[in-house]
């Protein structure tokens, strides 16, 4: 976890260095638009393993960079969170039922690439998405530690509808299939593609709905030169709020267990709910 934490800090520093000269949701020269954001939120997640059921909650940080042209779209999102867990089940080789509290953390990095079928100001994207995701949930290494790592590939859509010149609604829907999964617990550590091959039928469905307030109040597509010469020192940043739900359907498979046995990893249905608030990295940060 320490190595991943250091890596995530480096990603944040690189991200901020790239975005400090960027305008949040601003269209330049009637050519392309850029939307950089930073947000905080809370989450609740439910995950199960062959022997343990978990309820998890905590807080997360997100960094987002989205750019689109009249026809093309590119988006990158990074999420990292940490919280507490309530775990119940058989946690170790002793076969004893336990109910304990522990910690959990997760990391997700999402890359989207696709086409814009709307306008610069009111875009509608259809895109391909690739996302490595890592959930580490409770227990020590030799006592039923539960880790679920995934690499998912799929497609999605996004739309922004302006209700006024400052307030807009944003909706996003994705479906993605597991290229591979890494499952780690007491007595097993396996990649699904090594057991049943890639794309075993496991998938996730993600739905998100948000509202954005254009604090900078720039209407329409502006010439970036005019914007820079007229920008006020204490410009109000864009603000946003979003709710998101994720459903994971994980196919069952047989995994090597304790080197000499085979464990049946059951088909599971897991879910995550997230509530997020944030600001745009626009004028106050230049």
């Amino acid at each position: 976890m320490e190595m991943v934490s250091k890596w995530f800090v480096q990603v944040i520093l690189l991200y901020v260095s790239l975005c400090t000269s960027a305008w949040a949701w601003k269209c330049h020269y009637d050519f392309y638009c850029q939307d950089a954001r930073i947000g905080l939120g809370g989450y609740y997640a439910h995950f199960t393993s062959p022997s343990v059921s978990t309820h998890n909650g905590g807080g997360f940080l997100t960094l987002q960079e989205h750019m689109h042209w009249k026809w093309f779209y590119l988006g990158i999102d990074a999420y990292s969170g940490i919280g507490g867990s309530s775990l119940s089940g058989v946690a170790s080789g002793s076969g004893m039922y336990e109910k304990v509290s522990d910690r959990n953390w997760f990391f997700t990095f999402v890359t989207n690439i696709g086409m814009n079928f709307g306008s610069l100001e009111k875009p509608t994207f259809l895109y391909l998405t690739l996302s490595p995701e890592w959930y580490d949930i409770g227990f020590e290494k030799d006592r039923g530690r539960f880790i679920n790592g995934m690499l998912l590939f799929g497609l999605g859509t996004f739309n922004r509808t302006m209700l006024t010149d400052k307030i807009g609604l944003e909706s996003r829907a994705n479906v993605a299939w597991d290229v591979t999964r890494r499952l780690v617990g007491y007595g097993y550590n396996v990649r699904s593609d090594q057991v049943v091959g890639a794309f075993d039928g496991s998938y996730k469905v993600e739905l998100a709905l948000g509202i954005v307030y254009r604090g900078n109040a720039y209407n329409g597509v502006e010439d970036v030169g005019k914007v820079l010469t007229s920008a006020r020192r204490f410009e109000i940043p864009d603000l946003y709020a979003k709710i998101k739900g994720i459903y994971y359907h994980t196919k069952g498979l047989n995994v090597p267990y304790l080197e000499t046995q085979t464990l049946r990893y059951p088909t599971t249905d897991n879910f995550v709910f997230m509530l997020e608030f944030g600001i745009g990295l626009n004028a106050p940060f230049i």
Side-chain angles (χ1 to χ4, degrees):
M1 179 176 179
E2 182 180 355
M3 181 180 68
V4 175
S5 300
K6 290 181 179 179
W7 183 83
F8 183 66
V9 170
Q10 293 173 352
V11 171
I12 292 175
L13 294 175
L14 176 61
Y15 181 93
V16 172
S17 68
L18 292 174
C19 295
T20 49
S21 62
W23 293 80
W25 185 7
K26 184 61 207 161
C27 298
H28 306 294
Y29 294 109
D30 194 17
F31 176 61
Y32 81 99
C33 298
Q34 191 170 17
D35 186 359
R37 302 178 182 183
I38 183 170
L40 295 171
Y43 68 92
Y44 169 78
H46 173 73
F47 282 92
T48 58
S49 75
S51 57
V52 177
S53 177
T54 72
H55 300 276
N56 318 284
F60 65 87
L61 169 70
T62 176
L63 298 170
Q64 305 167 20
E65 174 71 50
H66 294 259
M67 295 179 289
H68 66 275
W69 291 255
K70 290 185 176 180
W71 300 104
F72 183 70
Y73 160 64
L74 175 65
I76 297 175
D77 296 344
Y79 286 82
S80 184
I82 188 169
S85 298
S86 173
L87 306 98
S88 58
V90 179
S92 67
S94 66
M96 298 295 292
Y97 179 88
E98 297 184 64
K99 188 173 183 180
V100 300
S101 297
D102 212 319
R103 61 90 186 98
N104 73 88
W105 65 274
F106 76 91
F107 177 75
T108 301
F109 189 86
V110 183
T111 302
N112 300 326
I113 183 169
M115 303 295 293
N116 179 17
F117 293 92
S119 63
L120 284 178
E121 189 71 5
K122 301 176 182 179
T124 297
F125 306 137
L126 182 63
Y127 56 86
L128 299 175
T129 180
L130 179 69
S131 60
E133 305 185 8
W134 189 265
Y135 293 88
D136 188 326
I137 306 169
F139 292 115
E140 296 85 356
K141 183 178 181 181
D142 59 350
R143 199 172 148 269
R145 188 179 185 185
F146 175 24
I147 298 175
N148 190 357
M150 296 165 280
L151 177 64
L152 300 116
F153 178 77
L155 53 88
T157 181
F158 170 89
N159 174 262
R160 179 185 298 132
T161 300
M162 295 305 300
L163 304 179
T164 70
D165 63 340
K166 291 186 178 182
I167 298 176
L169 290 178
E170 298 179 332
S171 59
R172 187 180 297 272
N174 298 328
V175 58
W177 292 266
D178 278 6
V179 179
T180 183
R181 294 174 285 140
R182 178 171 288 279
L183 306 171
V184 182
Y186 177 79
Y188 62 93
N189 184 342
V190 65
R191 274 183 17 214
S192 63
D193 65 290
Q194 295 177 334
V195 179
V196 294
F199 294 105
D200 68 343
S202 301
Y203 63 89
K204 81 167 185 178
V205 177
E206 178 180 323
L207 300 174
L209 180 64
I211 186 168
V212 61
Y213 174 78
R214 297 199 66 182
N216 56 24
Y218 296 138
N219 299 322
V221 177
E222 298 276 1
D223 184 305
V224 68
K226 294 180 181 179
V227 171
L228 291 175
T229 57
S230 63
R232 296 187 298 275
R233 180 177 178 82
F234 298 105
E235 196 70 52
I236 299 173
D238 296 343
L239 305 174
Y240 77 93
K242 179 168 61 177
I243 186 170
K244 178 164 65 174
I246 308 174
Y247 165 74
Y248 294 93
H249 178 74
T250 303
K251 290 287 189 179
L253 72 161
N254 296 321
V255 301
Y257 177 65
L258 295 176
E259 297 184 353
T260 60
Q261 306 174 47
T262 300
L263 173 71
R264 178 62 183 177
Y265 201 102
T267 297
T268 60
D269 296 295
N270 305 308
F271 55 86
V272 179
F273 293 111
M274 308 177 79
L275 183 61
E276 177 184 335
F277 302 90
I279 62 175
L281 297 177
N282 55 337
F285 303 95
I286 293 180

